[in-house]
């Protein structure tokens, strides 16, 4: 949970010294006490939470796929550079940027699927060139 909004409050959440509803108020951003309790479970028992999440994902695969499809479709509709060649600047951004794939897709005028596929091809190309040398 390194990118979690709960990370900076980890010690407070795990210590049980401050009530969960107070922590939720401190965090703000529509945070609830139940979300703080869930974060506590993830902090204290990460392997158990991972198992539960994996089980839920496997049992609800159709829902996960639908959400993913809807999310990717939004960037397909705004892709203005569809079918154009990739520039070296775009390729550098894909490999080295700290932005999310969605942010890159919007910034570059590409779809998320195009970013995923091109990143895969670039990494595969890098592996073959480094293993040959």
């Amino acid at each position: 949970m390194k990118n979690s909004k709960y990370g900076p409050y980890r010690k407070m959440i795990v210590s049980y010294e401050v009530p969960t509803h107070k922590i939720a108020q401190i965090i703000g951003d529509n945070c609830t006490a139940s979300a703080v309790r869930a974060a506590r479970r993830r902090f204290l028992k990460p392997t158990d939470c991972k198992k539960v999440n994996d089980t839920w994902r496997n049992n609800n695969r159709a829902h996960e796929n639908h959400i993913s499809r809807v999310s990717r479709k939004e960037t397909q509709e705004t892709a203005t550079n569809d079918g154009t060649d990739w520039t070296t600047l775009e390729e550098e951004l894909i490999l080295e940027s700290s932005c999310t794939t969605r942010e890159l897709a919007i910034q570059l005028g590409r779809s998320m699927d195009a970013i995923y596929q091109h990143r895969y091809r670039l990494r595969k190309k890098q592996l073959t060139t480094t293993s040959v040398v």
Side-chain angles (χ1 to χ4, degrees), residues 1-56:
M1 280 182 36
K2 53 183 168 169
N3 293 332
S4 169
K5 69 179 178 183
Y6 304 102
Y9 307 98
R10 182 184 184 113
K11 287 182 183 176
M12 188 187 316
I13 291 171
V14 174
S15 70
Y16 288 97
E17 293 174 5
V18 180
T20 53
H21 69 280
K22 292 287 186 191
I23 297 172
Q25 288 174 349
I26 292 169
I27 295 173
D29 196 30
N30 295 325
C31 183
T32 62
S34 61
V36 173
R37 284 191 295 275
R40 181 178 291 137
R41 282 192 301 275
R42 288 191 302 273
F43 285 138
L44 294 175
K45 298 181 180 181
T47 53
D48 291 349
C49 288
K50 185 173 178 358
K51 286 178 189 175
V52 168
N53 289 341
D54 289 346
T55 303
W56 186 90

Side-chain angles (χ1 to χ4, degrees), residues 4 12-15 18 27 30 43 61 63 86 89 94-95 97 103-104 109 115-116 123-124 130 133:
S4 169
M12 188 187 316
I13 291 171
V14 174
S15 70
V18 180
I27 295 173
N30 295 325
F43 285 138
R61 182 68 58 196
H63 173 72
W86 293 85
L89 178 64
I94 288 173
L95 290 174
S97 178
E103 292 168 347
L104 277 174
I115 302 283
Y116 288 134
R123 288 180 178 161
K124 187 175 177 182
T130 56
V133 175

